[in-house]
């Protein structure tokens, strides 16, 4: 892991000895700013307030399970499960865990998981150079695909993967789930409008409370859960030409 600034981490486990192991391993690795919590509710509050890059999560905890916390993490926060219960592995990976450390785990295994997390964090990080050249990198089969942000029309969630539709007509299919892609995209340029869709704000041509129509004519539904964030975008786009979008969905 090549970090110029410390990696911001939080570890949550209701067993203090387990937290000591993570703390010791992080100190050995170096370049990690770690905070630990034995109370899962306090840990979740810290995560929401501080938005760390990486969280180590025990699963079996009395007050709040690691699965509950994982489903409520802020966009851009990755997580590794640390637990003695292998039966939770499938649920963990369905939530897009970076890795699953089975207790007791060795330092070598811990380091491998940390390196995996570091690669995910670096891919998700916004480029430091000219924003006009900003890109994301996603896996398509065994290839890394570089996609300019200004080409993305919208991203659609499928079962276990995502489809990235671009203004040049290319559709990239990746095994990266929508939540992870959303964390890669700048929030001032993209908005999630539905559990299955993220769209580019610049590509919105018009909208109603039920639908958004893009510049290529694609019509997408607005989910009730995401209506407030869509309304915020609508308010920012009031100066644009707006006409009523049909309620029917026309996803290309």
């Amino acid at each position: 892991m090549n970090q110029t600034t410390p990696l911001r981490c939080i570890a949550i486990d209701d067993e203090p000895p387990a937290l000591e192991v993570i703390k010791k391993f992080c100190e050995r690795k170096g370049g990690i700013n770690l905070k630990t919590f034995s109370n899962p509710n306090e840990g979740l509050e810290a995560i929401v307030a501080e938005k760390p890059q990486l969280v180590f999560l025990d699963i079996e905890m009395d007050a709040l399970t690691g699965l509950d916390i994982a489903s409520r993490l802020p966009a851009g926060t990755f997580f590794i499960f640390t637990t003695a219960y292998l039966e939770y592995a499938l649920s963990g990976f369905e939530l897009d865990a970076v890795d699953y450390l089975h207790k007791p785990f060795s330092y070598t295994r811990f380091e491998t998981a940390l390196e995996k997390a570091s690669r995910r964090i670096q891919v998700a990080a916004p480029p430091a150079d000219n924003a006009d050249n900003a890109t994301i990198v996603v896996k398509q089969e065994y290839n890394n695909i570089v996609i300019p942000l200004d080409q993305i029309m919208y991203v659609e969630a499928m079962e276990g993967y995502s489809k990235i539709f671009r203004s040049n007509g290319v559709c990239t299919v990746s095994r990266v789930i929508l939540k992870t892609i959303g964390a890669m995209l700048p929030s001032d340029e993209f908005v999630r409008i539905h559990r299955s869709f993220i769209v580019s704000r610049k590509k919105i041509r018009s909208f109603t409370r039920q639908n958004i129509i893009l510049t290529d004519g694609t019509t997408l539904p607005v989910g009730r859960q995401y209506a407030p964030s869509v309304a915020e975008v609508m308010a920012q786009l009031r100066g644009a030409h707006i006409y009523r979008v049909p309620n029917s969905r026309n996803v290309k």
Side-chain angles (χ1 to χ4, degrees):
M1 181 172 58
N2 183 16
Q3 292 270 134
T4 56
T5 58
L7 184 69
R8 295 177 288 105
C9 299
I10 284 178
I12 304 175
D13 197 311
D14 59 359
E15 297 180 354
L19 290 175
E20 284 299 317
V21 170
I22 295 174
K23 182 179 178 181
K24 181 178 68 175
F25 285 174
C26 285
E27 289 174 349
R28 180 174 172 182
K29 180 65 178 176
I32 300 172
N33 184 348
L34 176 71
K35 293 185 178 181
T36 62
F37 296 87
S38 57
N39 182 310
N41 285 301
E42 292 178 359
L44 179 58
E45 289 177 4
I47 290 169
V48 172
E50 301 179 20
K51 295 180 174 58
Q53 295 163 289
L54 180 64
V55 175
F56 296 96
L57 279 175
D58 185 25
I59 293 181
E60 276 286 334
M61 296 183 287
D62 291 336
L64 191 66
T65 73
L67 295 173
D68 292 332
I69 295 173
S71 66
R72 295 158 66 178
L73 292 178
T77 296
F78 297 94
F79 66 97
I80 295 171
F81 279 131
T82 60
T83 182
Y85 300 93
L86 284 173
E87 61 266 29
Y88 290 112
L90 180 58
S91 297
F93 285 116
E94 286 177 347
L95 287 168
D96 200 30
V98 171
D99 209 339
Y100 189 103
L101 294 175
H102 184 217
K103 298 176 182 177
F105 48 86
S106 66
Y107 173 74
T108 300
R109 183 67 185 85
F110 171 86
E111 189 176 37
T112 298
L114 199 61
E115 292 293 343
K116 288 172 66 176
S118 180
R119 289 193 293 271
R120 290 272 291 270
I121 290 166
Q122 289 171 11
V123 167
D129 56 0
N130 190 339
D132 292 337
N133 298 321
T135 62
I136 61 171
V137 181
V138 297
K139 279 278 189 183
Q140 185 174 45
E141 296 180 344
Y142 298 104
N143 300 313
N144 289 316
I145 307 298
V146 180
I147 303 177
L149 295 184
D150 60 5
Q151 286 188 8
I152 299 174
M153 299 291 296
Y154 68 97
V155 187
E156 180 177 7
M158 308 299 286
E159 188 173 352
Y161 60 94
S162 298
K163 298 171 73 174
I164 303 172
F165 293 84
R166 299 159 66 176
S167 56
N168 60 2
V170 174
C171 176
T172 300
V173 180
S174 176
R175 280 287 178 184
V176 180
I177 67 171
L178 190 66
K179 179 182 177 182
T180 301
I181 291 180
M184 300 179 190
L185 299 171
S187 60
D188 61 337
E189 295 184 34
F190 292 84
V191 59
R192 189 161 184 173
I193 64 167
H194 188 277
R195 63 181 299 185
S196 299
F197 296 105
I198 294 174
V199 304
S200 168
R201 296 180 183 223
K202 295 178 181 178
K203 302 299 192 296
I204 297 174
R205 189 170 79 194
S206 55
F207 45 76
T208 67
R209 293 180 183 275
Q210 291 79 35
N211 299 286
I212 278 181
I213 190 164
L214 303 180
T215 52
D216 68 347
T218 299
T219 302
L220 302 174
V222 174
R224 187 176 302 174
Q225 177 184 351
Y226 301 93
S229 57
V230 173
E232 190 176 316
V233 173
M234 289 170 63
Q236 295 170 1
L237 299 177
R238 285 297 177 193
H241 174 65
I242 302 170
Y243 59 89
R244 189 153 192 81
V245 180
N247 287 332
S248 61
R249 175 181 168 190
N250 177 30
V251 179
K252 292 183 177 179

